[in-house]
Amino acid sequence: MTEPFTASDIAAAEKLMGVTYTPAERDQMLSNLEGQLLSAQARRGVVLDNATPMACRFDPRLPSFTMPHGLDDLRLSQRPLDLPDNDEDIAFAPLTALSHWVASRQITSRRLTEIYLARIEKLNPKLECYATVTADVALSEADAMDNLTRAGVSLGPLHGIPYGLKDLFDTKGITTGWGAEPFQNRVPGSDAAVTRKMRAAGAVLLGKTTLGALAYNDLWYGGWTRNPWNLNEGSSGSSAGSASATAAGLCGFSIGTETLGSITSPSQRCGTTGLRPTFGRVSRTGAMALCWSLDKVGPICRSVEDTGLVLAALNGHDAKDRGSIAAPFVFDARRSIDGMVLGYLPEAFEEGATDVDRAALVAARGLGITVKEVTLEDLPYGALMNVLYAEAAAAFEELTLTDADDTLKWQEEGAWPNTMRKARFLSAVDHVNLDRLRYRVMQAVGEMMEGVDALIGPFMTGPMLVASNFTGHPCLHLRAGFEQIATRSAASLGAGKLTTGEAEGERTFRVPQGISLWGQLFDEGPLLNLGMALEQALDVASERPGFPQ
């Protein structure tokens, strides 16, 4: 600092912080503000890479919480399908079918991998959903799985199944660019925990699926990821490529992440089925950190049961992830939903909700279970977003302080560079009290969820998108129907900017619309059972995008 502070400097700063001091109070601060700033500058001199975690850890469990299960248990439905003659039908088949065909040697993993690689070669130029295609790796891994199959060895339900991995998970020797220009040539020297878990489960890596730069939106350094149902609009983000590739049949399944909407939003846009597990269930070691207290890892699939199959392989405590929590995963796909109770917030189905949303609630009432209104305490849930902004700005502080953020393509008002710059003016005192508000929100959501197995609601209306991400509750988002609407984002640097409704004379497209289910902490099984029943009742999950296959 070259010049001393003045009372006018403090008065100007007060406007940014939303506080007011007297002239006497400002004069009193002048003598010791410099030391406060020097301490901050000294800390900035210590380089903290993205892998350095926070000392504080978020735990979604309230003091009264009891883990619902003691041991892992996965039981899948027994609905084997005959192997189709058509490659497209094979590509779009559910994981349960793909797994059965590989295990029974009706198809080899290599043949299945070749089908997906051919579809990627043909359709990825239109969708821009893969940042890197690892064809040689995929075929080598597929051959290894086929050798095990011939030897009578199975690594589990994902044995030999090709998948796409969001490009924020480290893959040794394979570019992991985080969707952002400053990191587009980044090649890690080791694998992420999720990468290792998928390999151990026998899954075959087709490539790295795109994400919006630094896990926001669908615009990345190599292009703009499209929605297969309308190539004029983005696939949403940040798990843009994972949802687009899965919806278009360019993989058996994919892995995504969510901080606040990054699994559910692209699943809503592309019509996939996304499962955001309870915070702490899946390891984030070796994954790009955006927000240490919010980041979650989960599967993106084409059916509800498939998400449970993948989560079983992802689940597990990891001492290297400070947010990891040991929690058994229990899911019996054959379990009846009789006696279950589904809650809903009436206001969430009012203004802003669609006819598809309301029809999904009607369908839920027709399942023969108890569906009842619940209430949620009126709190400023949106204020919690400043926690996200502060953590994200801390995770990528160097970009802001060195002006490397100027290299990011998306520079609009709502983009990361601007948001991270603004976050420098957030108050530390407010941040501590936001954390205390978060605890109040945990209590409020916990009280609301008492007496219900799950909650149903629209993706965006109501408080649950924000509230449940900050409490760590799991969310299942599945396709509920279709809407005929205009393009929601333009192919420009502003990709992701939504339009509302149908502009007069503008072309419309038939696109998917989903519904969300939120479940109890560390008890995703009943959530999936309800999702399977609702999926069957709605009967819209199997329709494929209509663009040229």
Side-chain angles (χ1 to χ4, degrees), residues 239 256-258 261-267 274-276 296-300:
S239 302
T257 64
E258 174 153 331
S262 287
I263 288 175
T264 51
S265 183
S267 290
L275 175 60
R276 184 192 78 214
K296 298 161 285 284
V297 180
I300 296 179

Side-chain angles (χ1 to χ4, degrees), residues 347 375-381 437 440-441 444 463:
E347 61 272 23
T375 59
L376 181 62
E377 183 181 355
D378 185 15
L379 292 170
Y381 296 97
L437 172 64
R440 281 281 305 278
V441 170

Side-chain angles (χ1 to χ4, degrees), residues 60-115:
R61 298 169 292 184
L62 291 166
S64 60
F65 178 82
T66 301
M67 193 62 71
H69 303 287
L71 296 172
D72 291 334
D73 189 15
L74 176 67
R75 302 184 185 188
L76 302 177
S77 63
Q78 302 297 320
R79 295 179 295 177
L81 303 173
D82 293 332
L83 180 70
D85 295 326
N86 182 282
D87 284 356
E88 181 183 322
D89 292 338
I90 295 173
F92 278 95
L95 285 185
T96 47
L98 295 177
S99 179
H100 170 69
W101 296 332
V102 170
S104 60
R105 305 193 199 183
Q106 295 183 58
I107 191 170
T108 63
S109 178
R110 170 173 269 268
R111 175 70 184 119
L112 187 56
T113 301
E114 289 171 342
I115 290 173

Side-chain angles (χ1 to χ4, degrees), residues 172-191:
K172 183 178 180 179
I174 301 170
T175 300
T176 303
W178 300 350
E181 286 80 359
F183 305 102
Q184 61 183 307
N185 297 316
R186 178 181 175 275
V187 180
S190 59
D191 287 326

Side-chain angles (χ1 to χ4, degrees), residues 191-354:
D191 287 326
V194 163
T195 309
R196 295 194 299 269
K197 279 184 172 289
M198 287 295 96
R199 184 178 299 114
V204 171
L205 179 65
L206 290 166
K208 308 298 290 295
T209 53
T210 60
L211 67 152
L214 305 180
Y216 191 14
N217 204 273
D218 43 33
L219 192 72
W220 57 291
Y221 61 78
W224 179 51
T225 304
R226 269 73 164 185
N227 175 11
W229 300 85
N230 176 5
L231 297 179
N232 301 293
E233 69 180 14
S235 64
S236 187
S238 69
S239 302
S242 293
S244 178
T246 303
L250 304 193
C251 56
F253 67 96
S254 60
I255 305 297
T257 64
E258 174 153 331
T259 303
L260 198 143
S262 287
I263 288 175
T264 51
S265 183
S267 290
Q268 164 84 346
R269 179 66 63 88
C270 298
T272 50
T273 306
L275 175 60
R276 184 192 78 214
T278 304
F279 178 89
R281 182 181 280 287
V282 181
S283 172
R284 303 165 302 175
T285 300
M288 185 203 87
L290 182 65
C291 299
W292 294 274
S293 76
L294 284 161
D295 296 344
K296 298 161 285 284
V297 180
I300 296 179
C301 302
R302 289 183 291 269
S303 74
V304 172
E305 184 175 4
D306 287 356
T307 65
L309 190 153
V310 179
L311 183 56
L314 290 171
N315 184 58
H317 177 256
D318 180 4
K320 294 182 179 179
D321 178 357
R322 287 180 59 78
S324 181
I325 297 171
F329 174 60
V330 173
F331 172 46
D332 183 352
R334 298 164 293 181
R335 179 188 172 187
S336 171
I337 63 170
D338 290 349
M340 288 191 183
V341 179
L342 184 65
Y344 73 97
L345 293 166
E347 61 272 23
F349 287 90
E350 295 171 0
E351 185 177 358
T354 68

Side-chain angles (χ1 to χ4, degrees), residues 291-544:
C291 299
W292 294 274
S293 76
L294 284 161
D295 296 344
K296 298 161 285 284
V297 180
I300 296 179
C301 302
R302 289 183 291 269
S303 74
V304 172
E305 184 175 4
D306 287 356
T307 65
L309 190 153
V310 179
L311 183 56
L314 290 171
N315 184 58
H317 177 256
D318 180 4
K320 294 182 179 179
D321 178 357
R322 287 180 59 78
S324 181
I325 297 171
F329 174 60
V330 173
F331 172 46
D332 183 352
R334 298 164 293 181
R335 179 188 172 187
S336 171
I337 63 170
D338 290 349
M340 288 191 183
V341 179
L342 184 65
Y344 73 97
L345 293 166
E347 61 272 23
F349 287 90
E350 295 171 0
E351 185 177 358
T354 68
D355 290 341
V356 174
D357 296 326
R358 299 184 186 96
L361 181 59
V362 172
R365 286 194 174 106
L367 296 177
I369 60 174
T370 299
V371 179
K372 69 175 187 178
E373 294 185 11
V374 295
T375 59
L376 181 62
E377 183 181 355
D378 185 15
L379 292 170
Y381 296 97
L384 293 173
M385 291 296 291
N386 280 345
V387 174
L388 188 160
Y389 301 147
E391 289 193 37
F396 292 100
E397 176 183 63
E398 186 177 5
L399 294 185
T400 302
L401 298 183
T402 63
D403 293 328
D405 57 353
D406 291 337
T407 66
L408 292 169
K409 189 181 300 184
W410 191 31
Q411 290 285 339
E412 291 188 355
E413 178 182 336
W416 269 146
N418 186 55
T419 300
M420 291 174 179
R421 292 168 197 142
K422 289 191 302 178
R424 306 299 304 192
F425 298 111
L426 291 171
S427 160
V429 176
D430 282 335
H431 193 78
V432 171
N433 281 326
L434 275 174
D435 197 52
R436 299 173 72 196
L437 172 64
R438 186 174 186 175
Y439 193 82
R440 281 281 305 278
V441 170
M442 291 165 64
Q443 292 174 316
V445 173
E447 291 172 4
M448 179 192 66
M449 295 293 287
E450 287 181 3
V452 301
D453 293 284
L455 185 81
I456 187 171
F459 164 63
M460 286 294 291
T461 64
M464 285 303 291
L465 175 63
V466 173
S468 66
N469 267 289
F470 278 89
T471 61
H473 283 75
C475 179
L476 174 71
H477 192 81
L478 64 151
R479 191 188 303 177
F482 294 88
E483 290 189 299
Q484 191 76 27
I485 58 175
T487 295
R488 290 163 287 188
S489 56
S492 68
L493 294 187
K497 209 171 201 180
L498 304 186
T499 60
T500 55
E502 177 184 344
E504 186 176 356
E506 189 175 355
R507 182 183 174 191
T508 62
F509 296 82
R510 186 172 183 270
V511 293
Q513 169 77 16
I515 196 74
S516 286
L517 296 171
W518 295 271
Q520 299 285 357
L521 294 173
F522 298 106
D523 201 12
E524 288 85 351
L527 184 68
L528 298 180
N529 292 127
L530 285 166
M532 288 180 66
L534 189 58
E535 179 181 68
Q536 184 176 6
L538 293 168
D539 194 25
V540 293
S542 61
E543 185 170 336
R544 305 169 191 172

Side-chain angles (χ1 to χ4, degrees), residues 9-47:
D9 293 330
I10 297 174
E14 289 168 22
K15 293 182 180 180
L16 290 174
M17 308 309 292
V19 296
T20 303
Y21 298 127
T22 67
E25 289 168 338
R26 292 173 193 140
D27 288 341
Q28 194 174 45
M29 278 188 269
L30 288 175
S31 64
N32 57 19
L33 266 178
E34 182 178 358
Q36 184 170 296
L37 178 57
L38 289 174
S39 293
Q41 290 174 332
R43 198 279 308 152
R44 293 174 195 168
V46 178
V47 178

